């Protein structure tokens, strides 16, 4: 057995060994808060309500050491080809590093090019916002339609909703889904003469994005003629293809193959947000991400927030066989954070083979779901408290709010604290019975009702506290999860930066589209053949 295998076995044994309920561990582990609450880049991450003892935490840290997390982190930073199946580095940290950094991707310096692109973004964003850059008829831009999907959509959508001004000077609309309703809704009520269209696609081959871009280009041309193409902007690692589509060369912003789509919000993929929010706000987002990079790179494992969060998640996922995790931001503006994390975590780590092509020895990414609190409390929290499965929760909250009624923010905070406590502490049957007895229920009535009103408790959660939903804290929150995902990938021995699992569906959709459009029928199982026959034009 390798050291690594032994460390995994120890983690599993530790997780399944009998232990006190989480709530009871505080009394017997006086150092629990000190060891399990860390601060990183302005965030406070409390892992003390996780189902591990201090001894378990040490066992988990031994696993991290056995899996050589620090060496892997060094390889990531050195720009080595950590995305081996695609022969690429993964250097999203270079995108948010301050000017003067010296990143190299596979030995090739990249930081100057990053800075040049950032300068071009800044100049373009400022020109659009100031009105110096106008549309084809000379009018200033009032709206942006951002077209892209997956990593070219989820990050920008999250950032915009999280940070958008209450009364934006420039409104952003998003079109990701190829469902024609999406572009119809995105364009509804907009004036083409005052609309900038930003097409974001790393590959510039994604079917949905190109189909939507064609629709929106036609909308521009119908109103403005060929001059409408001047309203097109593209962000892509394939700039020539974007130009061939009709985007003016000076409005094509590049990024690089060492930027994974789901790690790309820090690049020109964030251009729509940089225009809509102002470049200074975008810069602050980058600064928050860079601060988390510094923390992840320099902090010892036992105090390292991404490492500890990864270990807590792995302890639940592998140690305790918990395949689902809920992420509940108690911030309406972070409603989209769970969707963003779905791609970041499930596309990165939803893998069944290791980097050598062997079956992975243990379960990888958990399914992530969630919605904003308090809304979720009135939808799926019933199951979190009393369902047959234990679903660990990550709560995210901001200590202060700068908008709306402060009293309501206090109510919001009371709820998130209460939910975390309720999940852990639960409510005993004896307690429920005492209450029911006081209400005069008979013994028989109590036998029926008390178990239904009992909360088992001992349900784990993490609590990530931001000071406020600032660009810096949001940047740190996203980068925290990017690095957490990386650490998990190292522990599992998988490549967190490829996504071969999305290819088969794309290939089949291309073939089936040809059949739906009147091409010769393909060879299918009876169910698929029936659907094609029913739905063809
Ligand atoms: O669905 C797979 C995927 O390649 C994602 O990884 C990516 O974020 C998305 O499609 C969009 O890709 P592109 O930016 O190349 O259009």
């Amino acid at each position: 057995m390798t050291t690594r295998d032994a460390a995994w076995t120890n983690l599993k044994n530790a997780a399944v060994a009998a232990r006190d309920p989480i709530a009871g561990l505080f009394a017997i582990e006086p150092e629990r808060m000190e060891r399990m609450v860390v601060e990183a880049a302005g965030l406070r991450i409390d892992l003390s309500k996780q189902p591990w003892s201090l001894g378990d935490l040490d066992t988990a840290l031994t696993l991290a050491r056995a899996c050589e997390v620090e060496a892997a982190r060094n390889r990531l930073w050195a720009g080595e080809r950590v995305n081996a199946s695609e022969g690429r580095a993964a250097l999203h940290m270079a995108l948010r590093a301050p000017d003067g950094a010296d990143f190299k991707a596979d030995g090739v310096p990249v930081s100057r090019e990053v800075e040049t692109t950032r300068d071009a973004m800044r100049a373009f964003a400022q020109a659009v916002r100031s009105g110096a850059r106008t549309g084809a008829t000379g009018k200033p831009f009032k709206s942006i339609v951002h077209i892209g999907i997956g990593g070219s959509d989820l990050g920008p959508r999250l950032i915009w909703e999280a940070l958008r001004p209450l009364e934006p000077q420039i409104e952003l609309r998003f079109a990701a889904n190829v469902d024609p309703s999406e572009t119809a809704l995105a364009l509804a009520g907009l004036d083409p003469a005052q609309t900038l269209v930003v097409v974001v696609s790393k590959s510039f081959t994604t079917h949905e994005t190109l189909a939507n871009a064609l629709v929106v280009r036609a909308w521009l041309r119908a109103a403005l003629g060929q001059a409408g193409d001047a309203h097109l902007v593209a962000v892509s690692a394939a700039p020539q293809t974007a130009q061939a589509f009709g985007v003016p060369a000076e409005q094509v912003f590049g990024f690089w193959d060492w930027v994974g789509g789901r790690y790309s919000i820090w690049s020109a993929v964030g251009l729509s947000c940089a225009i809509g929010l102002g470049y200074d706000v975008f810069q602050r987002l980058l600064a928050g991400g860079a601060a988390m990079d510094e923390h992840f790179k320099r902090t010892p494992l036992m105090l390292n927030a991404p490492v500890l969060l990864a270990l807590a998640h792995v302890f639940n996922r592998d140690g305790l066989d918990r395949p689902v995790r809920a992420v509940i931001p108690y911030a309406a503006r972070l409603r989209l954070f769970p969707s963003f994390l779905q791609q970041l975590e499930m596309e990165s780590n939803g893998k069944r083979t290791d980097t050598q092509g062997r079956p992975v020895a243990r379960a990888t990414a958990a399914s992530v779901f969630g919605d904003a609190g308090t809304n979720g409390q009135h939808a799926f929290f019933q199951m979190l408290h009393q369902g047959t499965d234990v679903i660990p929760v990550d709560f995210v909250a901001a200590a202060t709010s700068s908008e709306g009624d402060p009293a309501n923010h206090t109510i919001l905070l009371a709820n998130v604290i209460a939910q975390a406590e309720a999940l852990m502490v639960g409510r005993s049957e004896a307690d429920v019975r005492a209450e029911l007895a006081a209400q005069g229920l008979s013994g028989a009535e109590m036998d029926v009702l008390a178990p239904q009103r009992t909360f088992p408790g001992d349900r784990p959660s993490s609590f990530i506290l931001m000071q406020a939903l600032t660009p810096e804290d949001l940047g740190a929150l996203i980068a925290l999860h990017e690095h957490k995902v990386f650490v998990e990938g190292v522990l599992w021995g998988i490549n967190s930066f490829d996504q071969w699992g999305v290819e088969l569906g794309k290939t089949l959709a291309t073939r089936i589209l040809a059949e739906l459009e009147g091409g010769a029928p393909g060879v299918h199982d009876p169910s698929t053949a029936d659907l094609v026959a029913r739905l063809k034009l």
Side-chain angles (χ1 to χ4, degrees):
M1 202 190 263
T2 65
T3 319
R4 192 185 168 114
D5 287 339
W8 269 110
T9 304
N10 291 342
L11 183 93
K12 181 77 191 170
N13 291 341
V16 297
R19 62 157 171 81
D20 285 315
I22 304 167
L25 292 171
F26 289 89
I28 54 178
E29 296 182 333
E31 288 172 46
R32 193 166 173 84
M33 292 293 290
E34 197 185 318
R35 290 273 321 270
M36 294 187 180
V37 183
V38 289
E39 308 233 341
L43 307 183
R44 180 180 187 276
I45 297 121
D46 181 347
L47 301 172
S48 66
K49 292 194 184 82
Q50 288 292 343
W52 52 9
S53 65
L54 286 173
D56 298 335
L57 171 59
D58 288 335
T59 305
L61 284 164
T62 304
L63 173 70
R65 284 186 209 99
C67 294
E68 300 179 356
V69 165
E70 284 166 307
R73 181 182 60 183
N74 293 344
R75 284 197 298 279
L76 177 77
W77 245 270
E80 290 185 24
R81 295 183 182 190
V82 293
N83 178 359
S85 74
E86 296 184 309
R88 296 169 186 170
L91 265 189
H92 34 285
M93 304 82 67
L95 301 168
R96 53 206 184 208
D99 284 1
D102 188 22
F103 281 91
K104 295 186 182 66
D106 204 18
V108 178
V110 297
S111 291
R112 292 299 80 72
E113 221 179 323
V114 167
E115 287 166 21
T116 305
T117 305
R118 281 201 299 233
D119 289 346
M121 276 177 77
R122 181 190 298 111
F124 189 75
Q126 285 171 350
V128 172
R129 284 179 70 79
S130 68
R133 163 86 60 149
T134 62
T137 63
K139 291 185 182 169
F141 290 109
K142 283 202 323 205
S143 15
I144 294 174
V145 175
H146 178 110
I147 301 173
I149 197 163
S152 297
D153 166 69
L154 292 163
R157 223 184 258 256
L158 166 69
I159 303 295
W160 175 246
E161 195 157 315
L163 301 176
R164 57 171 291 161
L166 293 175
E167 290 179 21
Q169 173 196 335
I170 296 177
E171 181 69 42
L172 262 61
R173 302 266 185 99
F174 292 87
N177 199 318
V178 74
D179 181 338
S181 299
E182 182 108 323
T183 38
L185 286 165
L187 298 178
L190 297 188
D191 174 6
Q194 296 196 272
T195 302
L196 192 65
V197 175
V198 180
V199 184
V200 182
S201 176
K202 181 178 174 185
S203 59
F204 227 82
T205 60
T206 302
H207 283 170
E208 297 97 315
T209 299
L210 294 184
N212 283 341
L214 282 171
V215 168
V216 179
R217 189 183 68 181
W219 176 79
L220 287 173
R221 286 182 182 173
L224 305 167
Q226 204 64 32
D229 284 11
H231 291 221
L232 293 173
V233 177
V235 180
S236 182
Q240 305 301 334
T241 321
Q243 281 179 48
F245 183 81
V247 183
E250 69 281 7
Q251 290 179 186
V252 178
F253 294 82
F255 65 113
W256 306 273
D257 70 358
W258 45 264
V259 183
R262 51 195 176 273
Y263 300 85
S264 65
I265 179 60
W266 322 96
S267 71
V269 168
L271 180 66
S272 308
C273 293
I275 300 171
L277 301 170
Y279 191 83
D280 54 330
V281 173
F282 184 71
Q283 183 77 57
R284 290 171 59 198
L285 180 86
L286 300 188
M292 185 56 73
D293 289 341
E294 283 301 299
H295 168 88
F296 178 52
K297 189 177 171 196
R298 302 197 189 284
T299 310
L301 298 187
M302 64 185 296
L303 295 172
N304 195 304
V307 172
L308 293 174
L309 191 58
L311 292 174
H313 290 169
V314 163
F315 196 80
N316 282 290
R317 177 70 186 104
D318 298 285
L320 295 163
D321 290 327
R322 293 173 175 163
V324 180
R325 193 175 96 254
V327 177
I328 322 288
Y330 272 69
R333 282 175 171 273
L334 288 181
R335 181 181 61 92
L336 298 178
F337 188 53
S339 335
F340 174 82
L341 279 189
Q342 279 175 341
Q343 189 199 18
L344 181 62
E345 302 207 12
M346 294 159 80
E347 196 171 82
S348 295
N349 284 345
K351 311 276 167 72
R352 57 188 283 283
T353 47
D354 71 10
T355 51
Q356 304 305 310
R358 300 170 300 212
V360 281
R362 41 198 63 86
T364 58
S367 305
V368 174
F369 80 101
D371 194 0
T374 60
N375 303 26
Q377 291 175 205
H378 303 277
F380 54 84
F381 269 50
Q382 162 64 38
M383 181 168 157
L384 300 184
H385 286 288
Q386 287 188 319
T388 49
D389 294 292
V390 174
I391 299 176
V393 181
D394 283 352
F395 292 106
V396 180
T400 59
S401 167
S402 58
E403 62 194 356
D405 189 329
N408 282 17
H409 188 71
T410 309
I411 297 172
L412 183 73
L413 291 177
N415 273 276
V416 63
I417 297 168
Q419 290 297 331
E421 185 177 39
L423 284 167
M424 179 176 74
V425 174
R427 189 172 184 209
S428 70
E429 191 169 330
D431 193 23
V432 175
R433 277 180 177 274
E435 183 183 300
L436 296 179
Q439 290 169 6
L441 269 71
S442 69
E445 286 170 322
M446 283 196 285
D447 287 348
V448 173
L449 204 49
Q452 297 181 58
R453 294 184 57 170
T454 297
F455 291 71
D458 205 29
R459 302 205 162 193
S461 65
S462 312
F463 202 112
I464 302 174
L465 185 64
M466 302 179 285
Q467 256 322 299
L469 184 43
T470 59
E472 289 87 349
D473 279 9
L474 180 60
L477 180 72
I478 295 172
L480 166 71
H481 285 83
E482 288 179 348
H483 292 317
K484 189 244 10 166
V485 163
F486 170 72
V487 172
E488 287 174 339
V490 173
L491 299 177
W492 288 321
I494 59 178
N495 179 355
S496 300
F497 299 109
D498 60 12
Q499 57 282 318
W500 298 108
V502 303
E503 294 304 327
L504 179 59
K506 289 183 191 172
T507 307
L508 296 190
T510 306
R511 279 190 218 151
I512 289 172
L513 176 62
E515 293 174 42
L516 292 181
E517 289 177 338
V523 177
H524 299 290
D525 62 88
S527 167
T528 308
D530 171 70
L531 286 169
V532 173
R534 275 174 197 281
L535 298 175
K536 68 196 280 184
L537 296 176

